Amino acid sequence: MTTVEGQDSRLLDGIIAEAEQKASQIIADAEKEAQARIDAAKARAEREREIERKANAIRLEQVRLKGESAKRNTARKASLHRMDVCYDVILDRVKTRLQTLYGTKEFSSVLVDWIAEAAIGLDLPQAKVSSSPKVPVTEAMLLDARRKVKELTGADVSLSLDTRPSQGVGVVVSSPDGKVSYNNLVDVRLRRFDRDIKQLVEEGTCKTE
């Protein structure tokens, strides 16, 4: 027959066992939760490291791109400056070369061509020709220009010398009333062919490698 003390002992043992089981479960759950938190913290730290790594890579790439852009801009500015210098040098040489021709038969022939070109451009039956006192146009040059216009277009044009001198070397061919004109002064012609001259400079020895 089971005594009261025996029953109490078994009851106490059961309570202790149940308490130990619950304690073990609580500890296991706590350890599991702690491990989960540790794993989550590690994962979060890894994600943050990866984000920071990518951000650093992006920043480094931006720095690299800015550096390359700055180098390109510097090289471009240097190239443009070189082209400008070469253009100025070549233009000065052209002007100097033309100046050595002033007063020669070769330049007189050039002026005749410019007069004919201007007369054809105006397409008028009469026109007057203005030139510089430094390199004046003569009546003989006007006759040559008339013949050239006749040969090129079949048109007869009457050309006369303008009493007013031009503002530079070359010719300005105008209508008798002066309302329309064709400017073939040296400086104007050089500006007219500015793009062609620059293209020659770019394609020539001044081209930056």
Side-chain angles (χ1 to χ4, degrees):
M1 188 174 197
T2 305
T3 65
V4 174
E5 291 180 357
Q7 291 178 345
D8 291 342
S9 177
R10 286 195 299 274
L11 180 60
L12 182 60
D13 290 340
I15 292 172
I16 293 173
E18 183 179 355
E20 290 177 347
Q21 184 178 2
K22 287 183 179 181
S24 298
Q25 185 63 44
I26 291 172
I27 292 171
D29 291 343
E31 290 177 347
K32 184 177 181 181
E33 182 178 354
Q35 186 61 46
R37 290 182 179 180
I38 292 171
D39 293 340
K42 288 181 178 179
R44 183 169 59 254
E46 185 61 30
R47 287 195 302 270
E48 289 175 354
R49 280 196 297 270
E50 182 64 16
I51 291 172
E52 185 63 22
R53 186 189 66 79
K54 290 181 179 179
N56 284 333
I58 292 173
R59 285 192 289 268
L60 289 174
E61 180 66 10
Q62 289 174 340
V63 170
R64 185 185 68 81
L65 292 175
K66 285 182 179 179
E68 290 183 355
S69 178
K71 288 181 181 179
R72 286 194 300 269
N73 288 336
T74 301
R76 181 174 178 274
K77 289 179 180 179
S79 176
L80 290 175
H81 177 69
R82 176 181 173 83
M83 296 302 299
D84 288 341
V85 171
C86 288
Y87 172 80
D88 291 339
V89 169
I90 290 176
L91 203 59
D92 287 341
R93 288 179 180 176
V94 170
K95 290 180 178 180
T96 301
R97 172 59 179 162
L98 285 173
Q99 289 173 359
T100 63
L101 297 177
Y102 291 171
T104 65
K105 290 183 179 180
E106 184 178 355
F107 194 71
S108 294
S109 178
V110 170
L111 290 180
V112 168
D113 289 339
W114 289 0
I115 294 169
E117 176 189 77
I120 294 172
L122 287 178
D123 192 23
L124 296 173
Q126 293 181 337
K128 55 185 180 179
V129 180
S130 175
S131 61
S132 169
K134 293 181 180 179
V135 190
V137 171
T138 64
E139 291 287 353
M141 293 165 65
L142 293 183
L143 289 175
D144 288 341
R146 288 182 61 186
R147 282 193 290 267
K148 189 172 286 291
V149 173
K150 181 69 173 180
E151 291 173 1
L152 294 173
T153 66
D156 289 315
V157 58
S158 175
L159 298 173
S160 61
L161 293 175
D162 194 335
T163 58
R164 294 173 301 176
S166 64
Q167 297 300 312
V169 175
V171 295
V172 178
V173 181
S174 308
S175 61
D177 59 9
K179 290 184 177 180
V180 292
S181 63
Y182 193 109
N183 193 323
N184 259 344
L185 296 178
V186 170
D187 289 342
V188 174
R189 287 187 67 86
L190 288 176
R191 287 197 300 270
R192 194 177 297 159
F193 294 103
D194 183 75
R195 180 178 297 178
D196 295 330
I197 295 173
K198 286 183 177 179
Q199 184 174 353
L200 289 174
V201 172
E202 291 176 0
E203 295 174 353
T205 55
C206 289
K207 183 177 181 181
T208 303
E209 298 297 336

